[in-house]
Amino acid sequence: MDKKDEKEKIGVYVCHCGTNIAGVINVEEVSTWAAENLKDQGVVISREYKFMCSSLGQELIQKDIKELGLTRVVVAACSPHLHEKTFRNACKGAGLNPYLCELVSIREQDSWVHTDKVAATEKAKAIISGGVSRVVYHEALEPLHVPIHPATLVVGGGIAGIQAALEIADAGFPVYLVEREPSIGGHMAQFDKTFPTLDCSACILTPKMVDAGNHPNITLLTYSEVEKVDGYVGSFVATIRKRARSLREADCTGCGICWEKCPKKVVDDVFEAGMGNRKAIYVPFPQAVPKYPVIDRVNCTYYIKGTCKACEKFCPTNCIDFAQQDEILTVEVGNVILATGWDLFDTRRITQYGYGRLPNVFTSLEFERMSNSAGPTGGNVVLRDGKTEPKVVGIVHCVGSRDKNYNEYCSSICCMQSLKFAHLVKEKTGAEVYNFYIDIRTPAKGYEEFYHRLLEEGTHFIRGKVAEISDATRLPSEEGKLVIQVEDTLTGNQLRVPVDMAILSAGLEPRHDSKALAKLFGISCSADGWLIERHPKLDPIATMTDGIYIAGCVQGPKDIPASVAQGAAAAARVMGKIQQKEIALEPVRATIHEEQCSGCRICNNLCPFNAILFHEDRMVSEVNPALCQGCGTCVAGCPAGAITGTGFSNEQILSQINGLLLLNVPKKQAVAA
Amino acid sequence: MKEFAYFPGCSLEKMASSYHMSAMETTQKLGVKLNELDDWNCCGATTYFYIDELLAYTLCARNLAIAEKTGLDVVAPCSACYKNMFFTAAHLKKDEDLAEHVNFALEEDNLHFSGNVKVKHLIEVFAQDIGPDELKSKVTKPLEGIRIAPYYGCQIIRPQKEKEDVEQPQFFEELISAIGATPINYPLKMRCCGGSLIISSRTAALTMVRNLLQSAVDNQAAVIATACPMCQVNLEVYQQQVNLEFGTNFSVPVMYFTQLIGMALGIPNKKLGIGKEFVAMAPTPLAVETAWGLPRKTK
Amino acid sequence: MTDTITFGQEISNLLHAAEGEPLKTCIQCGTCSGTCPVAGYMDNSPRQIIALINLGKKEQVLESNTFWYCASCYHCTVRCPQEINITELMYALKRYSIWKNRYKEGLIGPTFSEAFVKMIVRGGRSFEPVLATSYIFSFNTREFVQEIQGATELLLKGRLPLLPARIKRLENFRRMIGRIIPMGGLE
Ligand SMILES: Cc1cc2nc3c(=O)[nH]c(=O)nc-3n(C[C@H](O)[C@H](O)[C@H](O)COP(=O)(O)OP(=O)(O)OC[C@H]3O[C@@H](n4cnc5c(N)ncnc54)[C@H](O)[C@@H]3O)c2cc1C
Ligand code: SF4
Ligand code: SF4
Ligand code: SF4
Ligand code: SF4
Ligand code: SF4
Ligand code: SF4
Ligand code: SF4
């Protein structure tokens, strides 16, 4: 490469970012240093400015490009995640190919992580030197244009997923709504009342479920799961396994005779949270959408012993099909919305709270089912014996949340949920209710007012995290009760509160398989397991992968209103994409130099996006540029060194390293670093 | 044959000699060899840590260094000794600075501790190295029908070492089942007996002892099994004083788990130090059914 | 202000492996005090002690019996949601209090602790009867009688040693201790 001969004209722009950068790094010094010491590299101008991303800052660059004829631009500012696009567009606006602009980070990788001002300033110089050395090897690239398929895949049919699907379908675009359980509805379908207005959960949810079930633009795929996803924004191909319901949906009327006649009772751990039973052929709840039952093959007598078939015998439309096979569907979609929700924290993990050991300790979901008039106790709040009404009930906040031994985060909904429970217990049983809390968190519309209502209702509030719940009774008044031991932190007294029933307000956790889901869709999740948004404040519903959005609790704990809002917001983003009809893809791609490829096929399996195909005839590999995401895995993996990544070529990387080490700068200036 | 370095600790020299005797007898019978450390010093119970942390670590480290020379893992039968040694070893391994300080002092006794000793509690040897299955296979006189309350106490279990269950462990119960007895489930099995307070804060300690005995007795324990000399002394020796103080009528035998295991292995009572108790234990396991079949309910 | 070290920092410095100031992260949830088997006897609950330290209320902390009543059971520590080692804090406060020679009137703990340590420094192993004398006088008569009774019974059953055990390499041992604390301090 003769790059060195045809002298580039490079502009360097150092940003203050207010005091974000300038508070630690001596920006003026850095800028002057670059102008003086990187001259040989081709730097013709170096400037510093308060906010480079402001329109004035951008104009600065554009003016220099036009007036000084810059051929390369290096901006030293924040992370490329934030403003790479901004500066590339600014260059484009002035007629310079956007890929000839390099953004180096002196904020995230320098001023934010150091306190030693002198050292940080030296580091900034090195970072800029690296950027300048690298940008010389940049090539002018043109983006790839691909069409956007108008269909959308929504995974998870809870309230967030339903909302997203309805919005898109109402706008006239097709949606595949994939739900793992036999019915859509998610957790909201299990609840009795919803805070803070206490309207009945089913009453507000069912109409939406029915709409989703009947919508001409929605293909409902329940009892189904996504198994494989290929492709990229605009044209994903998803492979979906539709598990056999063991009946022909087309003929089933949902009459319910089959599950009435089925002799096999099964404890329902999912919908009834273990509080009630269902049959081996079942719909999870009466308002289920779709209305067809499924046969649970693990528990059905026929699948275990080969006899029974009562359901088949009684079915008036003769639609039972024991031999039915799973169906594998492949669908093409332009965008994906993930809305798979949450799992409840396993309260057994906090052994000192006694769940599973002491019968009258309940989880929050168990209480929801118990309080629901369609639930296992017909809406009666009773002890585990199924008949005794409690006289004193303790509600324990923050179970498994705000605790470094379990989950450090606050689950955000359980204070309100605990207040809701306190109200329902009082209303239904007249029992004395104690809420044990660390802080009452009621930060949304109408929530604090609901708390005040509870105070007026006479609920006891004790500020203290419960130490333990036991049956270690000491006094006659404790006989036969559970004892909740806690410090009332407002007075400093250690209390032993005897109760008949304890309800554990367990936290929300990511789905147990959220990491696998993230991997399947090629996005990232936090160490906890919540899926990571593109920006925590400014883009909470997009992910780092174009075309994949997240909505509802899959992103983190939140209440129903927030889940609905995210579902709708994700839908709006998808519709915007669909309207564009076409999308420009980053031209950062890998290419295989055929003459160097030895045909070992190592790269074929390395590529996480299955973008590499193999030509049997010529015995060489080739990258499909539409599928390649430019991740660079194959580049590093190829033993023959036959692959280069645009934007990450060996020259670019090596020269950047040289630059960082200040090898291109005259010795005496370099020593300071 | 499994072999361990053995740190008896001060209380086993006399106060808890029956623990020492029964530990030796039972391990021998189960194919485990305990080699007493040469010229060990007191681990300091908890009191050193009141005065000088560095001194406390040094004293523990001296024993660890002596153990390290033998190349064996070290076993302590006392929970406080165990906890002190375990965490001293852990801290010294992690903290080079501390290790340097401590080793500087150890030089005076020509010793050096490099962090390569695993510290175990005696009951871990039974629960892990021998294991309940192996133990069960060696039992000749199963303690059938005897309701035993396993008392874990504090420092075997706490602080937490890794991610093990520190609230409802089961290994003690498993050992009791292995010798044919019935482990009882009582809510205070993990609670503190107040051992270290008996001298300084007597009323508090006696109340704690009372609550514990009550909980065991309410759940029809015929005997309480301990794995720590401090717990044993507290729960047994102070029973009379609890009775005096609170007008109760406790008379629950409190025995070392090794004594109970020894009985089940058919070792004669005398060799297990049985007979030195304040609250007498029934002399033979055979008499037990009638003697212990009934709960000792106190008022 | 920034140069003077706060009471909280002073205490944190006494905690081995205390990174930063762990006490500062206490969320005052009360799990420790709810758990503590001795809380009922303490002037201030363990949680309150932490609040007082964070507030810099040194006098109030030293006046408190809380840390002398701590039984070192570590139950609070395994439950604290902020993973604060409250038990070690109690040790640190005992050390601080002995070091500053300041403790609440009428406590037996400090005297006992000092006596115990002196004994080990001398002999290498602990020995109960020696100890008894240093604390027994602070008991009331009934307690005294009970104590004597307990000791006598232990003696009769052959469970109390009559002579303190000493370790063999005592000279080395004492020089070793000399490298940690200047001799004379405790002797
Ligand atoms: C006890 C309790 C009471 C509550 N009460 C209230 C209240 O009164 N008011 C309020 O505003 N909020 C309440 N909440 C919060 C509320 O539950 C959530 O805000 C809401 O459920 C979030 O909806 P979602 O759609 O994100 O998730 P979910 O309801 O969890 O729905 C996710 C759906 O995705 C499906 N799914 C999961 N994985 C897959 C997969 N791999 N493939 C296909 N499908 C999958 C699931 O089966 C489920 O149907 C309460 C929470 C609790 C714990
Ligand atoms: S009996 Fe037949 S038609 Fe009726 S719900 Fe069952 S499968 Fe459907
Ligand atoms: S065949 Fe299975 S699902 Fe059908 S009735 Fe029998 S047990 Fe129920
Ligand atoms: S919302 Fe309330 S109960 Fe839930 S974790 Fe947060 S503070 Fe605790
Ligand atoms: S790894 Fe390299 S040599 Fe092997 S097939 Fe791929 S491109 Fe060819
Ligand atoms: S850079 Fe290579 S490994 Fe990465 S997506 Fe492109 S072809 Fe696949
Ligand atoms: S348990 Fe921990 S966080 Fe809670 S008050 Fe005690 S020290 Fe503070
Ligand atoms: S370690 Fe001390 S403060 Fe903590 S619970 Fe036990 S006695 Fe109380």
Side-chain angles (χ1 to χ4, degrees):
Chain A
M1 293 229 175
D2 304 326
K3 277 274 155 60
K4 289 271 153 88
D5 304 337
E6 22 173 305
K7 194 79 174 165
E8 299 293 350
K9 287 184 175 172
I10 305 172
V12 171
Y13 300 87
V14 189
C15 183
H16 293 228
C17 198
T19 54
N20 269 309
I21 294 171
V24 178
I25 294 169
N26 184 338
V27 175
E28 290 82 4
E29 183 186 326
V30 171
S31 172
T32 325
W33 178 88
E36 282 170 12
N37 294 280
L38 300 173
K39 250 188 287 188
D40 295 350
Q41 313 291 302
V43 172
V44 292
I45 181 82
S46 177
R47 299 184 192 276
E48 27 92 13
Y49 190 69
K50 230 175 172 47
F51 293 105
M52 281 308 301
C53 59
S54 67
S55 45
L56 287 175
Q58 295 183 45
E59 279 163 20
L60 218 56
I61 302 177
Q62 293 181 322
K63 199 159 146 268
D64 287 350
I65 293 175
K66 288 187 189 135
E67 290 176 3
L68 303 175
L70 297 183
T71 61
R72 298 281 192 276
V73 167
V74 172
V75 184
C78 49
S79 149
H81 275 325
L82 209 64
H83 277 309
E84 189 173 67
K85 275 219 171 79
T86 314
F87 296 115
R88 281 185 174 171
N89 283 338
C91 291
K92 196 172 158 198
L96 186 67
N97 184 290
Y99 297 94
L100 299 177
C101 166
E102 171 77 359
L103 174 55
V104 293
S105 169
I106 56 167
R107 193 180 73 172
E108 284 79 351
Q109 295 182 354
D110 194 351
S111 69
W112 276 1
V113 290
H114 297 296
T115 45
D116 181 338
K117 296 185 180 182
V118 175
T121 302
E122 293 309 315
K123 180 171 172 184
K125 292 175 187 170
I127 291 175
I128 292 170
S129 156
V132 168
S133 301
R134 180 190 218 280
V135 82
V136 176
Y137 291 99
H138 279 205
E139 286 169 52
L141 303 172
E142 291 306 326
L144 283 113
H145 291 275
V146 293
I148 297 204
H149 195 286
T152 304
L153 173 67
V154 177
V155 185
I159 186 60
I162 293 175
Q163 184 69 30
L166 283 175
E167 302 268 355
I168 298 171
D170 283 346
F173 302 110
V175 176
Y176 299 95
L177 178 53
V178 177
E179 166 60 52
R180 174 187 281 169
E181 297 297 324
S183 169
I184 55 169
H187 282 105
M188 200 180 157
Q190 294 173 280
F191 302 160
D192 176 23
K193 300 278 167 47
T194 51
F195 61 71
T197 42
L198 296 176
D199 27 20
C200 144
S201 194
C203 310
I204 55 176
L205 176 66
T206 320
K208 284 194 185 266
M209 289 168 58
V210 173
D211 278 358
N214 293 338
H215 207 294
N217 288 334
I218 297 181
T219 308
L220 203 54
L221 298 167
T222 49
Y223 212 43
S224 304
E225 269 182 79
V226 179
E227 289 199 329
K228 192 163 160 250
V229 186
D230 293 321
Y232 46 93
V233 58
S235 58
F236 291 104
V237 178
T239 309
I240 299 163
R241 176 180 295 267
K242 191 167 182 301
R243 288 161 66 201
R245 281 182 179 256
S246 313
L247 53 87
R248 284 176 295 276
E249 293 175 16
D251 300 334
C252 173
T253 60
C255 69
I257 294 175
C258 53
W259 65 81
E260 204 167 285
K261 296 291 179 190
C262 172
K264 181 68 185 281
K265 268 193 191 161
V266 182
V267 175
D268 184 353
D269 282 326
V270 180
F271 191 78
E272 295 293 2
M275 292 281 287
N277 296 325
R278 58 167 169 82
K279 294 294 183 61
I281 183 164
Y282 72 105
V283 289
F285 52 102
Q287 306 92 325
V289 172
K291 62 192 174 196
Y292 329 117
V294 294
I295 295 182
D296 158 13
R297 291 187 174 181
V298 177
N299 286 300
C300 161
T301 313
Y302 172 72
Y303 287 100
I304 298 169
K305 292 202 189 124
T307 53
C308 179
K309 294 200 171 184
C311 48
E312 187 181 43
K313 198 156 70 210
F314 287 99
C315 172
T317 61
N318 204 8
C319 57
I320 302 285
D321 177 3
F322 289 109
Q324 198 177 53
Q325 301 278 319
D326 289 359
E327 255 180 272
I328 305 290
L329 311 169
T330 40
V331 299
E332 206 183 324
V333 295
N335 293 281
V336 178
I337 297 173
L338 300 177
T340 51
W342 52 274
D343 277 338
L344 197 70
F345 170 80
D346 178 8
T347 50
R348 276 189 183 84
R349 288 173 62 199
I350 310 186
T351 27
Q352 63 267 37
Y353 285 176
Y355 181 76
R357 204 158 35 84
L358 306 171
N360 289 317
V361 179
F362 291 81
T363 68
S364 48
L365 268 185
E366 283 181 330
F367 181 82
E368 286 284 1
R369 291 313 298 150
M370 182 154 68
S371 181
N372 195 313
S373 51
T377 60
N380 294 318
V381 173
V382 285
L383 300 184
R384 204 64 83 172
D385 64 7
K387 46 180 197 285
T388 318
E389 264 199 5
K391 294 199 179 56
V392 188
V393 175
I395 300 174
V396 183
H397 290 223
C398 301
V399 176
S401 310
R402 303 184 65 193
D403 188 333
K404 287 183 179 159
N405 299 302
Y406 308 100
N407 293 313
E408 190 173 353
Y409 55 81
C410 163
S411 289
S412 91
I413 57 94
C414 18
C415 271
M416 280 302 288
Q417 165 252 296
S418 302
L419 296 176
K420 172 174 81 173
F421 287 6
H423 172 83
L424 291 173
V425 168
K426 249 204 149 64
E427 185 181 69
K428 290 180 185 242
T429 66
E432 290 293 314
V433 184
Y434 289 85
N435 274 50
F436 301 94
Y437 69 99
I438 312 176
D439 300 289
I440 295 279
R441 299 194 165 167
T442 52
K445 194 170 173 182
Y447 286 13
E448 182 70 9
E449 292 87 331
F450 187 69
Y451 172 35
H452 294 172
R453 174 171 165 188
L454 265 289
L455 289 170
E456 281 160 24
E457 282 177 7
T459 302
H460 306 284
F461 286 91
I462 293 181
R463 190 193 175 280
K465 185 171 159 77
V466 168
E468 64 183 44
I469 302 174
S470 77
D471 53 356
T473 53
R474 265 179 225 157
L475 308 168
S477 59
E478 298 172 350
E479 209 56 52
K481 303 217 174 210
L482 295 171
V483 177
I484 296 184
Q485 196 169 310
V486 66
E487 183 193 24
D488 172 16
T489 59
L490 299 180
T491 62
N493 286 314
Q494 193 186 60
L495 306 181
R496 291 167 59 82
V497 182
V499 300
D500 301 309
M501 174 190 274
I503 307 170
L504 306 181
S505 294
L508 306 191
E509 281 194 337
R511 287 277 177 196
H512 61 279
D513 54 357
S514 72
K515 293 203 166 108
L517 184 87
K519 192 155 173 257
L520 184 67
F521 285 90
I523 58 176
S524 33
C525 59
S526 65
D528 299 323
W530 303 109
L531 300 191
I532 296 181
E533 60 282 324
R534 185 176 274 260
H535 190 282
K537 278 149 264 177
L538 302 180
D539 208 352
I541 47 182
T543 64
M544 284 301 177
T545 305
D546 266 349
I548 298 187
Y549 299 89
I550 50 180
C553 289
V554 75
Q555 181 247 1
K558 56 180 63 65
D559 56 12
I560 295 168
S563 301
V564 171
Q566 284 200 339
R573 292 287 287 276
V574 166
M575 293 184 300
K577 276 262 157 66
I578 299 174
Q579 295 287 14
Q580 286 171 22
K581 301 216 165 55
E582 193 186 78
I583 189 173
L585 293 184
E586 283 285 301
V588 177
R589 295 289 176 269
T591 32
I592 297 178
H593 303 288
E594 215 170 274
E595 61 287 357
Q596 277 165 274
C597 171
S598 70
C600 71
R601 306 195 64 170
I602 287 175
C603 59
N604 298 198
N605 294 328
L606 285 179
C607 175
F609 302 95
N610 288 328
I612 306 180
L613 48 138
F614 187 66
H615 296 289
E616 296 280 355
D617 48 345
R618 285 177 283 143
M619 297 293 282
V620 286
S621 297
E622 190 191 341
V623 172
N624 175 347
L627 292 178
C628 172
Q629 298 291 306
C631 74
T633 310
C634 62
V635 181
C638 174
I643 317 182
T644 45
T646 351
F648 291 91
S649 67
N650 286 347
E651 289 91 354
Q652 286 172 329
I653 303 290
L654 290 173
S655 60
Q656 182 166 25
I657 294 172
N658 283 341
L660 277 168
L661 298 173
L662 297 174
L663 295 180
N664 299 339
V665 174
K667 272 276 165 342
K668 67 176 161 41
Q669 274 85 4
V671 275
Chain B
M1 177 175 264
K2 291 193 185 87
E3 217 175 322
F4 293 96
Y6 177 63
F7 171 77
C10 303
S11 39
L12 264 74
E13 286 209 304
K14 210 68 178 172
M15 276 257 281
S17 53
S18 53
Y19 192 14
H20 181 64
M21 288 162 75
S22 54
M24 285 306 189
E25 290 289 337
T26 47
T27 46
Q28 194 187 19
K29 193 121 190 173
L30 293 166
V32 172
K33 197 157 173 272
L34 301 181
N35 306 323
E36 182 166 338
L37 283 188
D38 170 51
D39 202 32
W40 52 268
N41 57 271
C42 172
C43 85
T46 47
T47 320
Y48 283 119
F49 290 89
Y50 294 9
I51 306 283
D52 189 304
E53 211 178 11
L54 194 55
L55 174 64
Y57 288 133
T58 308
L59 291 165
C60 284
R62 182 173 177 275
N63 293 325
L64 287 167
I66 296 172
E68 198 170 57
K69 280 211 280 196
T70 68
L72 301 169
D73 290 345
V74 63
V75 169
C78 162
S79 301
C81 303
Y82 162 67
K83 183 224 98 192
N84 287 342
M85 287 170 82
F86 184 96
F87 285 98
T88 300
H91 289 328
L92 288 180
K93 209 165 170 177
K94 230 178 47 198
D95 184 340
E96 279 174 34
D97 235 30
L98 180 68
E100 201 185 312
H101 263 78
V102 167
N103 277 320
F104 169 69
L106 291 184
E107 270 173 22
E108 287 286 4
D109 201 17
N110 309 315
L111 290 167
H112 181 90
F113 178 58
S114 46
N116 294 325
V117 171
K118 245 177 100 182
V119 182
K120 288 193 162 207
H121 190 280
L122 182 63
I123 198 166
E124 289 180 314
V125 173
F126 285 84
Q128 292 162 8
D129 297 278
I130 298 167
D133 293 337
E134 168 76 7
L135 172 61
K136 192 170 174 180
S137 73
K138 297 276 170 66
V139 167
T140 53
K141 294 183 176 165
L143 307 189
E144 262 160 41
I146 304 183
R147 296 175 57 85
I148 301 181
Y151 178 57
Y152 285 86
C154 302
Q155 300 186 351
I156 299 178
I157 301 293
R158 294 184 297 261
Q160 196 174 35
K161 277 121 211 138
E162 270 159 40
K163 283 282 158 208
E164 77 280 5
D165 187 351
V166 292
E167 295 281 354
Q168 287 292 327
Q170 288 298 319
F171 61 82
F172 211 152
E173 280 85 342
E174 283 161 16
L175 290 178
I176 291 173
S177 299
I179 56 171
T182 312
I184 70 149
N185 184 14
Y186 66 116
L188 265 57
K189 71 172 186 182
M190 305 303 302
R191 285 311 227 147
C192 178
C193 70
S196 58
L197 292 179
I198 205 84
I199 285 164
S200 55
S201 322
R202 194 186 167 74
T203 331
L206 289 183
T207 312
M208 287 153 85
V209 174
R210 194 251 341 244
N211 292 345
L212 244 156
L213 294 171
Q214 191 70 54
S215 176
V217 160
D218 283 350
N219 289 282
Q220 289 126 46
V223 56
I224 297 173
T226 71
C228 171
M230 307 257 249
C231 303
Q232 200 277 341
V233 167
N234 251 355
L235 292 181
E236 193 205 16
V237 177
Y238 288 94
Q239 256 179 58
Q240 288 185 13
Q241 306 191 5
V242 164
N243 288 341
L244 263 174
E245 188 93 19
F246 300 101
T248 46
N249 186 22
F250 290 114
S251 166
V252 206
V254 183
M255 301 188 66
Y256 294 109
F257 76 101
T258 41
Q259 291 180 303
L260 291 161
I261 289 176
M263 289 168 77
L265 294 177
I267 300 168
N269 282 349
K270 208 162 160 227
K271 289 190 165 181
L272 297 170
I274 293 176
K276 295 188 173 189
E277 309 77 26
F278 282 34
V279 181
M281 172 94 175
T284 67
L286 293 177
V288 143
E289 257 173 67
T290 42
W292 293 350
L294 299 169
R296 283 157 199 265
K297 194 82 175 160
T298 50
K299 60 161 203 159
Chain C
M1 273 307 278
T2 40
D3 310 333
T4 50
I5 146 168
T6 66
F7 181 45
Q9 285 163 338
E10 244 183 313
I11 297 301
S12 288
N13 289 346
L14 283 174
L15 291 167
H16 171 256
E19 281 160 29
E21 274 186 79
L23 303 185
K24 277 242 146 85
T25 67
C26 168
I27 59 170
Q28 289 290 304
C29 70
T31 307
C32 47
S33 315
T35 298
C36 181
V38 211
Y41 299 88
M42 293 172 170
D43 299 336
N44 299 103
S45 72
R47 174 193 57 83
Q48 285 174 327
I49 284 294
I50 294 176
L52 287 168
I53 293 172
N54 285 340
L55 213 58
K57 298 282 181 197
K58 181 148 116 187
E59 296 308 312
Q60 246 172 296
V61 171
L62 290 178
E63 271 305 307
S64 173
N65 69 3
T66 302
F67 40 99
W68 290 110
Y69 268 74
C70 169
S72 311
C73 75
Y74 288 93
H75 222 136
C76 50
T77 299
V78 296
R79 287 181 179 171
C80 171
Q82 289 293 77
E83 296 177 340
I84 295 171
N85 195 326
I86 301 132
T87 317
E88 291 301 327
L89 165 70
M90 297 297 169
Y91 281 128
L93 287 171
K94 283 168 187 160
R95 288 198 290 275
Y96 188 85
S97 153
I98 288 184
W99 173 43
K100 296 268 163 175
N101 199 20
R102 282 274 319 276
Y103 20 78
K104 189 180 170 142
E105 291 277 308
L107 283 174
I108 306 161
T111 333
F112 175 69
S113 302
E114 274 204 74
F116 187 81
V117 170
K118 273 185 197 159
M119 181 181 65
I120 290 152
V121 170
R122 278 198 208 102
R125 291 185 194 169
S126 99
F127 166 66
E128 286 86 3
V130 170
L131 271 183
T133 48
S134 64
Y135 66 86
I136 208 105
F137 298 109
S138 32
F139 286 171
N140 62 36
T141 330
R142 191 165 59 102
E143 285 172 341
F144 183 78
V145 170
Q146 286 181 22
E147 205 54 40
I148 295 294
Q149 191 188 353
T152 318
E153 258 180 87
L154 274 171
L155 209 68
L156 286 176
K157 301 265 180 182
R159 285 169 66 181
L160 263 195
L162 288 173
L163 282 171
R166 277 177 189 268
I167 63 169
K168 284 182 268 172
R169 302 193 296 268
L170 188 58
E171 262 323 296
N172 289 355
F173 181 81
R174 305 187 68 164
R175 270 187 281 118
M176 173 185 96
I177 290 173
R179 284 194 170 187
I180 298 290
I181 38 173
M183 278 307 206
L186 272 171
E187 279 292 273

